[in-house]
Amino acid sequence: MKELVSKCNRTQCDFIVITGDIIDCKVKFIKEKLQLLNNLEQKTYYISGNHDLFYGFKELKEVLTNLICLDNSYEILKIKNQNIAIAGLSDRFSKFFKIKREEKKVVEFLKSCENSILLAHQPKDYTFALRCNAKLFLCGHTHGGQIFPFHYVVKLFQPFLNGIIYKNQTAIYVNRGLGCWGVDFRYKADNEISLLKLIPKEVK
């Protein structure tokens, strides 16, 4: 965690996003490690993933005091004289934890914005990004398949595995994440911190 935070702080960027599944156990067991994320110097947004909900999203939010939770909410970023709307959806499993998922509110807000970014944990939520004409959709969940050939199993449940995909006017980026699920091992699915450069349309 210290290396992760240090690497992010050494990287020139305007903001950071974490697209869910920060935890894979109860917060009380790793509280001190999670608190290290509060040392991120850039403005950092995060949303819930299914594992966060299962192990205690309320407790996670209480620890991440320096980060901004974007579940079912939005903000306007001003970057180089450009207004960029950024919004997030809570994970698709929210309803099982009696958490309201405000899809309509988020979509309607982003529809009114010229430049927008939507965050959601699972790639299959890209349909909401298309519905609101978001320029960029950021997600995770898949671990890039984590261990080949399980890539093919993941593809049965998710439309995209990793990397960048374009649909209509929306760029979709599926991050492979940093950690592991189940076993502490990856094969043909390296972990990653992604650095994305947003380029105004007129200078492409």
Side-chain angles (χ1 to χ4, degrees), residues 2 18 22-23 30 51-52 54 61 73 76 79 109 115 125 129-130 141 180 184 193-194 199:
K2 288 179 180 177
I18 304 173
I22 297 173
I23 56 175
I30 54 170
H51 289 220
D52 302 318
F54 182 79
K61 288 193 289 185
S73 59
I76 299 291
I79 299 174
F109 171 74
N115 299 309
D125 279 332
L130 298 188
H141 186 61
C180 299
D184 189 15
I193 299 172
S194 308
I199 303 173

Side-chain angles (χ1 to χ4, degrees), residues 15-34:
F15 60 96
I16 293 172
V17 301
I18 304 173
T19 52
D21 279 0
I22 297 173
I23 56 175
D24 198 29
C25 68
K26 294 286 187 183
V27 168
K28 64 182 179 180
F29 297 124
I30 54 170
K31 187 175 180 179
E32 289 183 1
K33 295 180 177 67
L34 289 170

Side-chain angles (χ1 to χ4, degrees), residues 158-173:
Q158 297 293 336
F160 316 116
L161 186 65
N162 62 268
I164 193 158
I165 306 100
Y166 294 93
K167 291 284 184 182
N168 300 341
Q169 300 300 310
T170 301
I172 299 162
Y173 193 84

Side-chain angles (χ1 to χ4, degrees), residues 114-137:
E114 183 180 357
N115 299 309
S116 61
I117 300 170
L118 177 62
L119 314 179
H121 181 55
Q122 301 191 36
K124 61 177 65 173
D125 279 332
Y126 82 97
T127 55
F128 293 106
L130 298 188
R131 203 178 301 175
C132 63
N133 301 314
K135 294 294 191 293
L136 179 63
F137 174 64

